[in-house]
Amino acid sequence: MDSDVIVVGAGLAGLAAASELVRLGKTVTVIDQEGEQSLGGQAFWSFGGLFLVDSPEQRRMGIKDSHELAWQDWLGTAQFDRPEDEWPRRWAEAYVDFAAGEKRAWLHSLGVRFFPVVGWAERGGYTAQGHGNSVPRFHITWGTGPGVVAPFAERVRQAERDGKVQFKFRHRVDGLTVTDGAVTGVSGTLLSPDESARGAATTREALGEFEISAEAVVVTSGGIGGNFDLVRKHWPARMGPAPKRLISGVPAHVDGRMLGIAEAAGANLINRDRMWHYTEGIENWDPIWPHHGIRILPGPSSLWLDATGKRLPAPLFPGFDTLGTLEHIMTTGHEYTWFVLTQKILEKEFALSGSEQNPDLTGKDVKLLLKRVLPGAPGPVEAFKKHGADFAVAPTLPELVAKMNGITGEGLLEYETVRAAVEARDAEMDNKFTKDLQVTALRGARNYRGDKLIRVATPHRLLDPKAGPLIGVRLHVLTRKTLGGLQTDLDGRVLRADGSPLPGLFAAGEAAGFGGGGMHGYRSLEGTFLGGCLFSGRQAARGVAA
C-alpha cells in the first residue's frame, strides 16, 4: 500500500477528512486532477458563509435562535419525501445538532473568526413550517472562503512535512480498484503539469498512467456544477425545461466524473435531480474560468421583473426563495430576469458572492471594511456597474428601459409595462399601510439592526431623483451546487443500491450531497455547503478510522 487512505479531491471536504485522518493516526495520499495552486477547491472562491445556530454573534445582534427552530426550518426547507431520504434526513439531523452544538467552538479552536453582523439568507416568505430561515444565521467568515480553507490546508501541509501525507496533484482518477468486492485503490491518468492561475481551465494532456492502493478510499471530488451537459441531463422536470444558456459559478474542473466512476464500482447515487442554482447570476466582466458568473447577494428592495417587464409574484423577492424563483422563471418562456433599482439601493444592498469580490473581508482589511458603512458602493460592485455587460444605468425610466432592451437586443420590455410596475410599487411607499408584501418585508427587515446597518436601504421611491440614477441588471441562471450524490451512512460509508456498505469506499462533501446523498433535500438554508463539507469530511475520516 502507498498509504492507509486515499482521499480523492483536495477541496475543503478532502482537507477536512485528511486532517482528521492524520489526527487519528492514519497516513494519507491526497489526489487531485488540478495543480497545487487549486488546493482548497471551490471553497477558496466562496463568500465563506457558515450556518450556525444560537451563536454568540446572533445573541449580540439580538437574534433569538434555538436548535428546535433551526430543525423546524430545515424540515420545512428540505421537504424530505422519498424512501431514499432516510439517510439524508439522519445526516440533516446530525448536522443541525453540529451547527447548534460544537461547530463554532471547534472552528474557533482552529483559528476561524466571524464578521459580527449575521446575514439573513433565504428568508422564505411562506408559513412558519415552510421554506426559509426564521432568523438570520449566515455567519461570514473573517477571511471569507480562504479563511475557512486555511486552517485545514495548514494542518495537512504540516502532516506532509511530517511524512504522514503525500499529495498527488495532476493525477486524474479514472477508476476505482475493486478486489474481492472491496475498494482497494484507484487508477488513472497522470496529466501534464499546468501552472495556469487558480480556477482557470487546465490542459488534459496525458503523460502516463498510475495506480495507488490503500485500505480505504474517500471520495471528496465535488459535484457537477461545471459540467453543463450533466446539469441539463439531470435537470428536474418539476422546474421546467433546462436552460439553454447557463453561466457557471464554479471552475470547469467541477465536472462530476467521480460520481459516475463510483457508481460503476457499485456505489448508489441518489437524488440526482436535486440541485442548487442561483437566479441572480451576472456575467463576470473579468472572468477566471469558462462561462464565469458571479452571484449578486441582494438585499430585499430591488424590483424583480421577468424578461417582459412583469413583476415576479410574492414571495419571490430578492433573497427569499432561490429555487421557487427559478421554478417560476422557467415557466415564463424566458431564461433571464431583471432587477430594477436605484444607486441608493445598489450602495446598501448589493454584495457579490466570492472571495475575490470582497477584498476587505478576504484580506481582513478593517480600514477597507469600514467603507461599507460610508456612502458609495463597494469597489467591485461599482466595477460591475461600469464594465458589466448586464448593467444598464440611466437618469430616467424611459432611457433605462431603452438601455435594457439594448442589452438583450430582443426588445421584450415595453415601457408602459415597466412604468406601471414601478409606479405602483412607488405608490405603496407614500403611507405606512400597504398591501405590497415586498414593501412590508423590507420595512420589517430594518427592525433587525444588522439589516438596517449594512444590508437594507432606507425605503424610498425608485423614481425619487435623489436616489438615482436608475439601474437595470439582467440576471442569468448560475450553476452552483449538487444537492444529491453518493448515498452514505453516518460514518461516511458509501452504500450499494441494496443499502449495504461498499467495503473500502467512503464519501464526503458535495460528492455525497454534503451527507447521506442529499442532506438538504430540495432546498438549502444557505451557509450549509462549507459546513457540510467540514462535517461530512470529519465524519468520513472517523468512519474510516473506526
Side-chain angles (χ1 to χ4, degrees), residues 5-7 13-14 16-18 20-21 24 26 91 216-220 488-494 504-509 512 515 532-546:
V5 185
I6 296 168
V7 174
E20 183 71 0
L21 284 163
L24 295 170
K26 299 293 185 181
W91 269 94
V217 174
V218 183
V219 176
T220 59
T488 61
D489 64 14
L490 283 174
D491 288 325
R493 297 184 298 177
V494 174
L505 188 62
F506 296 75
C533 288
L534 295 172
F535 182 60
S536 62
R538 195 181 72 166
Q539 284 293 103
R542 293 177 178 182
V544 170

Side-chain angles (χ1 to χ4, degrees), residues 377-433:
V381 174
E382 278 293 342
F384 265 90
K385 176 185 154 191
K386 180 179 180 181
H387 302 293
D390 297 310
F391 282 72
V393 183
T396 68
L397 191 60
E399 293 172 282
L400 182 71
V401 173
K403 286 189 174 183
M404 291 163 70
N405 276 327
I407 288 175
T408 65
E410 295 178 340
L412 294 178
L413 294 172
E414 293 187 4
Y415 169 68
E416 287 301 320
T417 302
V418 177
R419 180 195 60 78
V422 170
E423 290 184 353
R425 180 265 188 200
D426 278 5
E428 297 292 315
M429 308 303 296
D430 291 339
N431 61 70
K432 65 181 179 180
F433 305 102

Side-chain angles (χ1 to χ4, degrees), residues 52-270:
L52 296 172
V53 178
D54 193 24
S55 69
E57 288 78 17
Q58 286 177 298
R59 293 194 291 271
R60 282 194 289 268
M61 294 302 296
I63 300 164
K64 294 183 180 180
D65 199 5
S66 67
H67 176 280
E68 292 75 20
L69 183 60
W71 182 233
Q72 174 179 291
D73 287 349
W74 194 290
L75 287 178
T77 295
Q79 294 292 314
F80 296 121
D81 62 357
R82 297 174 176 175
E84 58 266 37
D85 283 335
E86 178 185 358
W87 282 112
R89 182 183 171 112
R90 292 190 193 183
W91 269 94
E93 191 166 10
Y95 181 72
V96 173
D97 290 346
F98 176 62
E102 65 173 311
K103 181 180 179 180
R104 186 188 180 280
W106 176 57
L107 289 172
H108 200 270
S109 72
L110 298 175
V112 176
R113 298 294 182 267
F114 299 103
F115 184 60
V117 179
V118 183
W120 195 354
E122 288 297 297
R123 303 183 186 214
Y126 303 95
T127 67
Q129 293 177 298
H131 167 63
N133 285 293
S134 297
V135 298
R137 297 191 177 107
F138 191 81
H139 295 66
I140 301 169
T141 303
W142 187 231
T144 65
V148 180
V149 170
F152 299 94
E154 290 166 3
R155 279 159 177 76
V156 179
R157 283 298 196 187
Q158 182 59 52
E160 181 188 26
R161 291 189 288 270
D162 294 340
K164 298 175 182 177
V165 168
Q166 56 180 326
F167 284 98
K168 299 287 186 183
F169 294 109
R170 300 297 290 164
H171 283 61
R172 185 186 69 198
V173 173
D174 297 325
L176 295 173
T177 304
V178 180
T179 306
D180 296 328
V183 175
T184 57
V186 299
S187 61
T189 302
L190 179 62
L191 300 176
S192 174
D194 190 322
E195 297 182 0
S196 298
R198 177 192 285 270
T202 55
T203 179
R204 289 298 180 259
E205 180 186 359
L207 295 182
E209 299 178 344
F210 70 90
E211 290 187 13
I212 303 175
S213 60
E215 294 177 354
V217 174
V218 183
V219 176
T220 59
S221 55
I224 67 173
N227 187 332
F228 290 172
D229 289 338
L230 279 182
V231 169
R232 293 189 178 103
K233 179 180 179 181
H234 299 300
W235 186 265
R238 64 184 175 276
M239 288 198 292
K244 295 178 181 178
R245 188 177 187 280
L246 295 165
I247 58 177
S248 181
V250 296
H253 62 78
V254 186
D255 55 19
R257 291 183 71 255
M258 278 305 302
L259 297 175
I261 290 168
E263 187 177 30
N268 193 32
L269 192 57
I270 63 173

Side-chain angles (χ1 to χ4, degrees), residues 453-470:
L453 179 65
I454 64 170
R455 200 69 181 104
V456 181
T458 303
H460 62 277
R461 292 182 296 109
L462 296 176
L463 297 181
D464 182 352
K466 296 179 182 178
L470 288 165

